[in-house]
Amino acid sequence: MQKRRKIYVNMTPPPSECDENGRVLNQSYVPNRIRTAKYTPLSFVPKNLFEQFRNVANLYFLFLVILQCIPLFGVTEPAVSALPLICILIITGIKDGIEDLKRNQSDQKVNSAKTLTLSHWKNVNIPEEEESSFHFLHIFVGFFCMLAGVDNKFTHAYRMSLIKDKPSSRADVNFDDDESPLNEVAENDSSSSSLSAAAGQNEESSLSTPDFLAPPPAISSGPKTFYSKVRQRSDTLRSEISNLGQYFKPSSAGRKKFYRPGTIPHNVLQRAPTPSIRRRSSSIHPGALKCSDLPAGDPPAEHCKVWWQEVQWQDVQVGDYVMIRNNEDVPADIVILSTSEKDNLCYVETQNLDGETNLKVRQGLRATSELRSVHDCERAFFYFESEPPHANLYQYNGVMRWDIEQPDEHDNTVTHQKTEAVTYNNLLLRGCLLRNTKWAIGVVIFTGDETKIMLNSGKTPSKRSKMAKATNPHVIANFCILAVISIISSALASANFDAPGSSRFFDFGIEGSNGSYLGFITFWVTLILYQNIVPISLYISVEIVKTFAAYFIYADIDMYYEPTDTPCIPKTWNISDDLGQIEYIFSDKTGTLTQNVMEARKGTVGGIAYGLGKTETSIGAEIRRGSTYSEKELDQGNMHNLEIARRVMYQKQEELFENKYVGPNPTFVDPKLFEDLGQRDAHSTAITHFFTTLALCHTAIAERPDKSNLHFIDYKAQSPDEAALVASARDLGFVFLGRESNTLTAEIMGVKKKFELLNVLEFNSTRKRMSVIIKPHDSDRIVLLCKGADSVVYERLCSDFGDQYELQKSQMELQQITTEHLEGFANEGLRTLCLAYRFISPQEYKRWNRQYQEASASIYNRDEKLDLVYEEIETNMLLMGGTAIEDRLQDGVPETIAELAQSGIKLWVLTGDKTETAINIGFSCNLITLDMELVIVKADDREETLVELEKALKKTDELGIDKKCALVIDGTTLKYALEPKTKDLLLELGIRCASVICCRVSPKQKAEVVRLVKKGLRVMTLAIGDGANDVSMIQEANVGIGISGVEGRQAVMASDYAIAQFRFLRKLLLVHGRWSYLRTSEMIMGFFFKNIVWTFVLFWYQIFCQFNGSMMYDYALVALYNLIFTSLPIIFLGIWDQDLNAKVSLDYPELYRMGLRNDRFKMWRFYLTVFDAIFQSAVCFFFPYMLLLGGSSDKTGRDQNGMYEVGTIVSSIAVIVANFFAMTSLNSFTWIQLLIILLSILVYYAFVCIYAQFNTFIFAGHDVLFGTGNYWMLLILTVVTCYIPRMSAKHYMHQYHPYDNDIVREQELVLHNGRSSVSPKKPNGSSMDTTIQQPEEEKIKKYNL
């Protein structure tokens, strides 16, 4: 376990932490150079070979190559025998090398990126390189260490030797051309005055900012105090403590001021009551006077060379000062010291880190907010005490410490140390992007592989396809067959040792002196002889096929989403066939089924509901109730009515006040709201407080992207819900203008008001709420505003009203009415939140804030302590009302879900929404239909859960199999249902239901549900989601799909396939998945077939040579059989073959059930293929052998029945038979398929003809074997005989036991026009129910799915 680290800035580590040479003990930091590539130039060959030989098949063939190098086993050309293995290793190595080269290039691009660090400044955390007599040797060794990808002191010495002699170039830090959006609050009402103010502010910034970032010119005037030098600003800490300057001025009377710890500002630049304290310099430049010796604020020393320089990311080290400019990436994990913003804030985009696209606010440390120039940086002395690196992106605990020094000649002083807690909000993590901030200065705390992004870039769980796993038993079966025929051959060879035959004199002692020894030798010889029964090229061929399948998925224009320029991106290439066997889909709702583009549509304030218009869910419900209008007509009518109401509403608003900030598309529409607002009564006040709370209770950023129109405000929030609520308040006249330091500015009904932001109680998934504590500038009252889920807010409402009976009565009534309204909103498919508030007395706040500050400053368990403090203040609140937000369905979701259900796939929706919301979304997206019986399971404890599950199972038994059911279960019930005692009941209930909706579930529960079904039913599962809370279930499922939506890309980064819309899942599964399953299954069967045919021909020949292991083929033919002569037709079958085109595949979703039943890769098909291959091998051998046994038919008298002559003839027949297998397995005979088959056969004949001209003894003249009519008659007779049983069996199966695609293929062939000529589908029926003539009608009825 790593220890906490200390990082010193301009401070020499204490002697207790250093060795005798001054080096820090037990403290070494990894370099900032990252390497995601697997190989380096030196390690590629050994490491890649190691990876490939982890494959058992490759080890087996390596063992055989070694065997063939032993002369005893009689292999004439052992080098040729290694050719197939060498080719496989080279091809795989090239593929791996190309993939890794791209990773290397990406790494190099990142490592070579530029950032700004201080030049001519010493980082005391990095030991100086000592140039000893062995320094050159260290550099030499470092070069090879670098090539090997090893980071050590030698590598560091080598890299330092490359950069140390380079001159330091001064970086340009001019920010005149700043184009970042404006975040400032416009203080003037008119547009023109706002613009002029902004222009003036920009002008001031352009003139002054560079002076604070670069070394200012030397000034000849006398020394100045710190605060007389630094620019004063009225809204910062500096102005608040400027009156303390008297402590730092020498008294004219020479009197001494007594020092107390509280008189020193909380600032690392001010470490003593007088500026006379001096420190040893950490800068490296000539001259007696060193810049760091001077007090803060003094001009730089003469010849000062400290400035910002550009360096590569890989040269950044722990403890370095780093400056990041607007729109620049963060090179390492750094603590923010100061920023260009007045309140020391900065804004970051964390999309590369956690997938979130919304801007986040990060806060610089208070004690370092005055670091504005390079000289401030070298005059600040402090150190960080940091926790060790860990992978949690949202947690960090550290502390910054600096010493308050005792001045000379001061007797009555106190020496002490100041501290400031460093939290997650003070960090900029590697991979973030600085936005809307001109610059930020920080100190590096973690580099390279210790940064959080690298610690989180662990490998996605390794996934193997179902078919790859199912292939292993087939390979084992082939090994068993190999062992059996080798043992049979060795046993029969031993038995024939003393049989009559040629004299042992001609054996030359090879066969030994007894039968046992001969049997032993024969076993190894036949193991070599029959080696091709194990398909060496199967694995690489499958990889090639799946690579093409991944490319076809990527290139499919139907799955390309133009608005975001996003294609379907396969990230895991080796599981494409799994897409054709998915039985259960687990889907998130928000952002996956819905658009995650939130619109605040309705609300309830003071017991009155507001908001007009029909939601998408209510329109769907109206259609289900039998509306005479179509969905399109209802939607158009709704939009028309809303537009009329919107105009009326804004007319009423203009009568009350002017709202210059109305957005382009207001969604909250109800004229009655402004009628009630104009009454100036208690309810009008409640409305004002409600929408003021929406405008203030958030962490959104008010951004003005158009500098020519400061009245257009765009809100950037950490969630779409929050942005939608703030925007709706803006449209209704309660406008959040922005935040400066701890001041919130809002325009409430045309009147600008300011509020002091005291505390933000942040949202997290456990709390399910967020609060702010504010104090209006025109009042002394402290108010807590809370916004959260109704379940958690209601638990914290006031229950003890004392003698305030009227308030108690009104609150109880309000809670009841609000609950009814929220349930109504949920029934319309809306997402609901509650708003509440409470007043806090100054005494209570002072006491609570002290606890809050202590918890915030905690180094250990800070988050847990803060949650406890939050709980204490978020009590006894008063309810204001609730909001309702619509998240519309994505295009095509209902149709996609309906077709997936037809295909036999079951969909489970796992959502965090309320039960009512989830049920209505289920109806609107066709997950739940009117003919389904709703089974709702809801319980509060373990015993009740068991009872409810048993009751639900009994209910499904009573309904029978003819009635479809839909299960709805909430998160609390699910918590108990997933326990070992009840999980089997839950699984049984889920199997019986056509659809399942799990509500209020946590990310962990999502993964547990996926695991329950995957392990319990042993089925293929797919999980699809778009947010970080979906990552666990995406990684748990067999196939994970990430949707690149509004919530970011963290789900995409963890997924196997990335798509932009849920509807693309339809084609991904029903077309590409089904094709890949069928192609891969046929290709694997073809590989086993062709290898068994080739091997068993050799086995049959052993009968006629006393099983002595003679090979009738020339070894060149053996080596090239799998590599060239028969591989391409099978591979192209796996790449191109289609049983039906994409349109027809989508017209018949039930075709997908072939993969669910695993029709084409069953074990009986494999053994039937093995039997067929053995039969065809017997025909391939015995027909030529028997017909050529009588002698030559060549008119010139050339011999055709020698061992090698017969072997060449048989090999040609075997090649044609193997290639014809691919042809008979094709579903679509395209020109490219037929051309590949023809070329493979022709290549065989071309090779024999050419090879026969060069081989001198065994193979010479074999080309003439093909010149007789007898050969061609023999070829035709043998091939036809081979395929008579196979074609007969295929015809029988097609006629009497057809597959689903056989039926549809024949149907489409007869109809000639696809689905358009078929009678319309029955409602809620199978798409394969058609009315065509017999006998097709009988087939359709028989196989109706």
Side-chain angles (χ1 to χ4, degrees):
M1 183 176 179
Q2 297 188 60
K3 297 181 179 179
R4 295 177 67 86
R5 60 174 59 180
K6 290 185 179 179
I7 302 164
Y8 296 91
V9 179
N10 296 322
M11 294 178 64
T12 303
S16 59
E17 297 184 14
C18 300
D19 59 16
E20 59 275 7
N21 296 321
R23 295 176 180 265
V24 180
L25 293 170
N26 302 322
Q27 189 145 306
S28 61
Y29 304 118
V30 300
N32 202 39
R33 180 181 179 85
I34 58 108
R35 188 169 65 88
T36 60
K38 184 186 294 185
Y39 307 111
T40 65
L42 283 185
S43 69
F44 176 76
V45 173
K47 193 170 183 178
N48 186 257
L49 288 177
F50 173 76
E51 292 286 337
Q52 292 197 56
F53 281 115
R54 291 171 64 184
N55 186 332
V56 178
N58 286 345
L59 275 178
Y60 162 72
F61 283 105
L62 177 63
F63 172 69
L64 291 180
V65 169
I66 295 172
L67 275 183
Q68 292 170 81
C69 293
I70 301 175
L72 178 64
F73 299 133
V75 178
T76 57
E77 301 177 31
V80 177
S81 65
L83 185 61
L85 179 61
I86 292 172
C87 289
I88 295 299
L89 295 177
I90 290 175
I91 292 172
T92 307
I94 291 173
K95 179 182 78 71
D96 293 343
I98 292 174
E99 290 177 359
D100 207 62
L101 178 62
K102 294 178 181 178
R103 287 191 287 265
N104 264 303
Q105 291 172 344
S106 176
D107 291 345
Q108 187 60 33
K109 182 178 179 182
V110 171
N111 291 326
S112 301
K114 302 290 186 179
T115 192
L116 297 181
T117 63
L118 279 186
S119 68
H120 299 91
W121 173 84
K122 180 183 177 182
N123 182 351
V124 297
N125 302 279
I126 306 300
E128 294 183 2
E129 186 69 26
E130 297 178 1
E131 297 193 9
S132 63
S133 56
F134 296 101
H135 184 65
F136 176 77
L137 181 60
H138 288 182
I139 295 175
F140 180 76
V141 174
F143 171 74
F144 290 98
C145 290
M146 184 268 298
L147 291 179
V150 177
D151 281 312
N152 53 29
K153 65 178 183 178
F154 302 114
T155 315
H156 178 72
Y158 172 73
R159 292 207 176 98
M160 290 298 101
S161 68
L162 296 179
I163 64 174
K164 72 173 185 177
D165 295 329
K166 290 184 178 179
S168 173
S169 58
R170 184 168 175 172
D172 180 18
V173 289
N174 193 342
F175 298 100
D176 291 349
D177 299 327
D178 177 44
E179 298 180 0
S180 59
L182 295 177
N183 297 313
E184 295 83 359
V185 179
E187 295 294 342
N188 300 306
D189 291 335
S190 66
S191 176
S192 59
S193 60
S194 298
L195 285 171
S196 61
Q201 190 176 28
N202 288 341
E203 182 179 356
E204 179 191 353
S205 173
S206 65
L207 291 174
S208 60
T209 301
D211 292 337
F212 286 95
L213 298 174
I219 302 176
S220 57
S221 59
K224 297 184 178 180
T225 60
F226 176 66
Y227 287 105
S228 65
K229 172 64 182 174
V230 181
R231 181 181 61 175
Q232 300 292 314
R233 293 182 295 175
S234 61
D235 55 350
T236 64
L237 177 68
R238 191 176 290 157
S239 61
E240 298 294 329
I241 56 176
S242 58
N243 58 342
L244 297 176
Q246 58 183 329
Y247 294 107
F248 311 114
K249 296 179 182 179
S251 174
S252 57
R255 292 176 298 175
K256 297 180 180 179
K257 299 283 186 179
F258 285 100
Y259 163 69
R260 295 181 178 86
T263 60
I264 298 296
H266 190 78
N267 192 319
V268 295
L269 290 174
Q270 197 64 37
R271 302 179 303 281
T274 120
S276 62
I277 305 301
R278 295 290 180 263
R279 283 247 190 183
R280 184 174 58 84
S281 174
S282 64
S283 52
I284 306 169
H285 50 76
L289 186 62
K290 299 174 182 177
C291 217
S292 59
D293 291 334
L294 300 174
D298 273 18
E302 192 176 359
H303 306 300
C304 177
K305 293 185 178 180
V306 180
W307 54 58
W308 293 111
Q309 65 172 345
E310 278 194 348
V311 299
Q312 294 183 347
W313 279 22
Q314 63 185 2
D315 298 323
V316 172
Q317 297 174 321
V318 171
D320 277 353
Y321 276 109
V322 174
M323 172 184 278
I324 303 151
R325 293 171 287 190
N326 191 37
N327 295 326
E328 284 187 350
D329 290 294
V330 180
D333 291 354
I334 71 172
V335 175
I336 310 167
L337 301 180
S338 63
T339 74
S340 60
E341 299 299 301
K342 297 178 181 179
D343 43 12
N344 210 28
L345 296 175
C346 65
Y347 306 96
V348 294
E349 180 182 291
T350 59
Q351 181 173 352
N352 293 333
L353 191 67
D354 58 8
E356 300 290 343
T357 56
N358 300 297
L359 294 184
K360 314 292 193 306
V361 180
R362 295 291 180 263
Q363 177 74 55
L365 295 176
R366 189 161 60 97
T368 56
S369 60
E370 306 295 346
L371 299 183
R372 316 301 286 182
S373 73
V374 292
H375 308 292
D376 291 339
C377 291
E378 66 171 345
R379 294 167 185 173
F381 299 87
F382 55 91
Y383 71 93
F384 292 105
E385 205 174 290
S386 169
E387 65 181 3
H390 60 77
N392 192 332
L393 290 173
Y394 307 104
Q395 185 178 8
Y396 177 78
N397 290 318
V399 63
M400 184 178 73
R401 303 181 188 274
W402 68 101
D403 295 328
I404 297 301
E405 300 172 352
Q406 179 174 338
D408 297 335
E409 302 176 3
H410 230 292
D411 297 325
N412 300 313
T413 58
V414 179
T415 300
H416 69 286
Q417 190 179 70
K418 286 201 170 189
T419 63
E420 181 173 349
V422 183
T423 71
Y424 165 73
N425 285 324
N426 305 124
L427 287 190
L428 288 181
L429 301 183
R430 179 179 180 132
C432 296
L433 195 65
L434 191 69
R435 294 289 197 191
N436 298 357
T437 309
K438 294 174 183 175
W439 52 264
I441 297 174
V443 167
V444 177
I445 54 167
F446 300 127
T447 51
D449 293 333
E450 292 182 342
T451 57
K452 291 186 180 291
I453 190 173
M454 295 304 296
L455 292 173
N456 277 274
S457 62
K459 296 180 180 178
T460 302
S462 178
K463 296 182 180 180
R464 292 182 63 210
S465 71
K466 180 181 179 181
M467 199 169 290
K469 297 174 185 176
T471 303
N472 286 339
H474 300 340
V475 175
I476 292 172
N478 270 28
F479 274 111
C480 293
I481 295 172
L482 172 64
V484 168
I485 60 177
S486 296
I487 291 171
I488 290 174
S489 298
S490 62
L492 292 176
S494 180
N496 286 327
F497 182 78
D498 295 323
S502 59
S503 172
R504 291 296 164 191
F505 175 78
F506 296 104
D507 292 338
F508 301 102
I510 293 177
E511 296 188 353
S513 57
N514 57 69
S516 299
Y517 181 62
L518 175 61
F520 173 77
I521 294 176
T522 303
F523 175 81
W524 298 110
V525 170
T526 52
L527 201 65
I528 297 170
L529 189 67
Y530 306 142
Q531 61 178 292
N532 275 355
I533 198 170
V534 178
I536 185 174
S537 56
L538 171 63
Y539 297 102
I540 185 64
S541 300
V542 170
E543 289 294 322
I544 292 171
V545 166
K546 292 185 177 181
T547 300
F548 273 92
Y551 172 75
F552 292 148
I553 291 172
Y554 171 78
D556 192 334
I557 195 68
D558 293 336
M559 293 192 292
Y560 170 75
Y561 191 56
E562 189 173 0
T564 57
D565 189 27
T566 307
C568 177
I569 302 174
K571 299 165 73 67
T572 305
W573 291 8
N574 63 338
I575 59 172
S576 58
D577 48 283
D578 280 350
L579 295 172
Q581 303 174 83
I582 300 299
E583 196 165 342
Y584 283 84
I585 293 177
F586 300 89
S587 174
D588 178 39
K589 182 187 77 68
T590 305
T592 303
L593 301 178
T594 60
Q595 298 177 17
N596 205 13
V597 177
M598 306 299 180
E599 297 178 351
R601 298 293 301 275
K602 300 188 177 185
T604 172
V605 186
I608 299 178
Y610 295 98
L612 301 179
K614 298 176 181 178
T615 65
E616 196 173 56
T617 301
S618 58
I619 291 175
E622 192 171 332
I623 293 173
R624 290 193 298 275
R625 288 194 294 266
S627 173
T628 57
Y629 298 99
S630 67
E631 182 178 354
K632 184 177 180 181
E633 291 172 333
L634 288 173
D635 190 50
Q636 289 177 345
N638 179 50
M639 297 301 293
H640 177 70
N641 294 335
L642 276 179
E643 187 57 37
I644 295 175
R646 187 179 288 112
R647 287 198 296 268
V648 174
M649 182 181 77
Y650 281 111
Q651 288 174 359
K652 294 181 179 296
Q653 185 189 67
E654 289 178 2
E655 295 173 1
L656 296 176
F657 58 87
E658 180 185 8
N659 182 11
K660 303 186 292 291
Y661 298 94
V662 178
N665 185 30
T667 57
F668 195 108
V669 178
D670 194 342
K672 188 175 183 303
L673 176 70
F674 288 101
E675 292 177 4
D676 293 346
L677 195 60
Q679 297 300 318
R680 307 296 181 185
D681 55 8
H683 184 64
S684 169
T685 304
I687 294 175
T688 303
H689 291 167
F690 181 88
F691 286 102
T692 301
T693 300
L694 286 184
L696 298 176
C697 185
H698 56 79
T699 56
I701 301 168
E703 185 177 279
R704 293 169 175 79
D706 185 0
K707 294 186 179 182
S708 63
N709 179 16
L710 296 183
H711 292 147
F712 174 61
I713 302 178
D714 186 25
Y715 297 109
K716 301 293 185 180
Q718 297 192 24
S719 72
D721 304 60
E722 191 168 68
L725 291 174
V726 183
S728 68
R730 174 201 63 196
D731 296 335
L732 296 174
F734 300 82
V735 187
F736 172 64
L737 296 176
R739 170 183 172 181
E740 287 187 346
S741 188
N742 290 325
T743 301
L744 304 178
T745 306
E747 186 172 294
I748 310 299
M749 299 173 62
V751 179
K752 188 166 294 184
K753 295 187 176 182
K754 292 182 180 292
F755 303 84
E756 182 182 354
L757 179 63
L758 300 176
N759 305 93
V760 177
L761 285 57
E762 296 183 350
F763 173 89
N764 61 45
S765 57
T766 304
R767 286 167 37 77
K768 296 183 179 178
R769 65 191 182 279
M770 71 88 59
S771 304
V772 295
I773 301 177
I774 61 172
K775 186 173 79 171
H777 279 197
D778 56 359
S779 170
D780 291 331
R781 306 192 76 173
I782 300 173
V783 188
L784 179 142
L785 306 176
C786 181
K787 173 179 67 181
D790 53 355
S791 57
V792 297
V793 171
Y794 269 60
E795 292 175 356
R796 289 158 179 80
L797 295 179
C798 184
S799 57
D800 183 9
F801 292 88
D803 57 355
Q804 301 183 60
Y805 302 110
E806 286 295 324
L807 178 62
Q808 181 178 4
K809 180 181 178 181
S810 64
Q811 276 290 303
M812 293 299 106
E813 291 178 356
L814 178 60
Q815 290 178 27
Q816 182 179 354
I817 296 172
T818 302
T819 300
E820 294 173 358
H821 287 167
L822 293 179
E823 289 178 356
F825 296 154
N827 288 331
E828 296 183 58
L830 300 175
R831 297 158 60 94
T832 59
L833 289 174
C834 282
L835 270 64
Y837 75 99
R838 65 164 295 197
F839 292 109
I840 306 173
S841 68
Q843 296 79 12
E844 181 186 4
Y845 175 75
K846 184 177 181 180
R847 177 185 58 79
W848 176 87
N849 191 49
R850 187 182 303 112
Q851 297 176 359
Y852 171 79
Q853 296 297 338
E854 290 174 357
S856 299
S858 298
I859 300 176
Y860 302 103
N861 302 321
R862 181 185 292 119
D863 295 337
E864 292 80 359
K865 292 179 180 178
L866 283 173
D867 285 346
L868 292 175
V869 174
Y870 295 162
E871 287 284 346
E872 183 178 337
I873 200 70
E874 290 173 326
T875 57
N876 297 322
M877 295 187 292
L878 301 178
L879 183 66
M880 287 192 283
T883 63
I885 301 174
E886 181 179 20
D887 187 9
R888 298 176 67 89
L889 287 175
Q890 293 181 14
D891 295 337
V893 166
E895 297 81 3
T896 300
I897 290 178
E899 290 195 18
L900 292 176
Q902 276 186 285
S903 70
I905 299 174
K906 292 185 177 182
L907 179 65
W908 290 29
V909 172
L910 313 176
T911 178
D913 285 335
K914 295 175 64 177
T915 303
E916 297 81 3
T917 305
I919 290 174
N920 283 281
I921 291 293
F923 274 111
S924 64
C925 68
N926 277 341
L927 182 63
I928 305 175
T929 57
L930 291 175
D931 62 339
M932 289 184 182
E933 182 73 21
L934 269 182
V935 179
I936 300 178
V937 179
K938 192 169 185 179
D940 296 322
D941 54 47
R942 190 173 287 104
E943 290 73 18
E944 189 181 355
T945 299
L946 179 60
V947 172
E948 289 294 321
L949 287 174
E950 291 173 344
K951 189 186 298 184
L953 285 169
K954 185 178 179 181
K955 182 178 180 180
T956 57
D957 287 335
E958 294 171 354
L959 293 172
I961 59 174
D962 295 330
K963 183 70 173 179
K964 291 183 178 179
C965 298
L967 172 64
V968 180
I969 184 170
D970 69 343
T972 304
T973 312
L974 192 63
K975 171 186 173 183
Y976 299 114
L978 288 170
E979 293 180 350
K981 185 179 178 181
T982 51
K983 68 178 183 180
D984 292 334
L985 294 176
L986 174 64
L987 187 59
E988 178 64 26
L989 183 59
I991 294 172
R992 297 184 184 185
C993 296
S995 300
V996 177
I997 298 178
C998 301
C999 313
R1000 300 288 195 183
V1001 292
S1002 66
K1004 182 181 178 181
Q1005 286 179 321
K1006 290 183 180 183
E1008 288 175 347
V1009 170
V1010 175
R1011 189 182 306 114
L1012 174 68
V1013 175
K1014 184 175 76 170
K1015 301 291 186 183
L1017 300 181
R1018 297 183 179 276
V1019 294
M1020 297 297 295
T1021 58
L1022 180 148
I1024 180 170
D1026 73 318
N1029 59 334
D1030 302 316
V1031 169
S1032 55
M1033 76 167 180
I1034 284 175
Q1035 294 185 336
E1036 181 63 40
N1038 298 98
V1039 178
I1041 308 285
I1043 290 187
S1044 51
V1046 177
E1047 285 194 20
R1049 299 182 61 85
Q1050 191 161 354
V1052 168
M1053 292 187 286
S1055 67
D1056 302 306
Y1057 293 87
I1059 59 178
Q1061 295 280 288
F1062 181 85
R1063 67 176 184 269
F1064 296 157
L1065 197 61
R1066 172 173 171 253
K1067 190 170 186 183
L1068 184 64
L1069 298 183
L1070 303 187
V1071 178
H1072 291 285
R1074 196 180 68 84
W1075 280 349
S1076 187
Y1077 166 74
L1078 295 176
R1079 291 166 176 171
T1080 306
S1081 59
E1082 288 298 328
M1083 185 192 73
I1084 292 175
M1085 292 297 180
F1087 263 97
F1088 286 116
F1089 173 86
K1090 69 186 184 67
N1091 282 45
I1092 292 173
V1093 167
W1094 182 261
T1095 301
F1096 265 82
V1097 166
L1098 297 173
F1099 177 73
W1100 300 130
Y1101 177 70
Q1102 299 305 305
I1103 298 173
F1104 303 98
C1105 66
Q1106 296 184 336
F1107 291 90
N1108 64 1
S1110 297
M1111 182 179 290
M1112 61 190 300
Y1113 304 142
D1114 184 90
Y1115 205 87
L1117 299 180
V1118 176
L1120 298 179
Y1121 175 78
N1122 269 322
L1123 202 60
I1124 295 177
F1125 300 149
T1126 59
S1127 58
L1128 284 182
I1130 296 292
I1131 291 174
F1132 272 68
L1133 179 147
I1135 294 174
W1136 298 106
D1137 191 37
Q1138 289 183 12
D1139 60 337
L1140 295 159
N1141 62 37
K1143 179 181 181 301
V1144 176
S1145 297
L1146 293 173
D1147 285 342
Y1148 297 89
E1150 297 90 341
L1151 289 170
Y1152 188 80
R1153 302 193 183 193
M1154 291 180 65
L1156 301 184
R1157 297 188 299 261
N1158 198 21
D1159 285 348
R1160 302 305 287 267
F1161 205 66
K1162 292 184 181 294
M1163 189 62 77
W1164 67 264
R1165 285 199 80 226
F1166 168 73
Y1167 285 113
L1168 195 61
T1169 302
V1170 171
F1171 177 78
D1172 183 30
I1174 293 174
F1175 165 77
Q1176 294 198 35
S1177 69
V1179 174
C1180 287
F1181 173 75
F1182 285 106
F1183 269 45
Y1185 185 84
M1186 300 302 293
L1187 292 175
L1188 295 174
L1189 191 61
S1192 172
S1193 60
D1194 185 79
K1195 60 183 180 179
T1196 61
R1198 290 176 182 261
D1199 189 13
Q1200 288 188 341
N1201 60 358
M1203 180 179 73
Y1204 290 109
E1205 285 76 10
V1206 171
T1208 301
I1209 292 172
V1210 171
S1211 68
S1212 66
I1213 297 172
V1215 167
I1216 293 174
V1217 165
N1219 286 317
F1220 275 21
F1221 179 90
M1223 187 169 67
T1224 58
S1225 299
L1226 287 173
N1227 290 296
S1228 55
F1229 289 85
T1230 60
W1231 66 268
I1232 191 169
Q1233 299 279 20
L1234 297 178
L1235 178 64
I1236 290 298
I1237 293 172
L1238 181 62
L1239 283 177
S1240 295
I1241 296 172
L1242 291 179
V1243 164
Y1244 169 82
Y1245 283 104
F1247 173 79
V1248 170
C1249 293
I1250 296 171
Y1251 187 58
Q1253 308 306 316
F1254 298 98
N1255 195 292
T1256 56
F1257 179 69
I1258 297 176
F1259 211 74
H1262 278 205
D1263 53 323
V1264 300
L1265 295 174
F1266 308 137
T1268 64
N1270 186 50
Y1271 166 78
W1272 295 104
M1273 287 298 295
L1274 174 64
L1275 174 67
I1276 294 171
L1277 175 64
T1278 306
V1279 173
V1280 171
T1281 306
C1282 284
Y1283 276 92
I1284 286 175
R1286 179 174 179 80
M1287 300 309 295
S1288 300
K1290 285 178 69 72
H1291 177 74
Y1292 172 80
M1293 293 291 293
H1294 182 79
Q1295 290 298 315
Y1296 299 102
H1297 302 281
Y1299 291 113
D1300 298 342
N1301 59 346
D1302 293 333
I1303 299 173
V1304 175
R1305 280 164 58 85
E1306 191 169 339
Q1307 178 175 295
E1308 290 296 317
L1309 184 64
V1310 171
L1311 296 175
H1312 293 296
N1313 195 25
R1315 198 55 177 268
S1316 60
S1317 300
V1318 185
S1319 300
K1321 289 189 276 190
K1322 299 175 184 177
N1324 299 323
S1326 167
S1327 64
M1328 293 182 69
D1329 288 338
T1330 54
T1331 54
I1332 58 177
Q1333 295 182 351
Q1334 297 287 352
E1336 293 302 322
E1337 185 176 3
E1338 293 301 322
K1339 296 178 185 177
I1340 297 299
K1341 288 180 179 177
K1342 183 175 181 181
Y1343 296 98
N1344 182 18
L1345 303 175

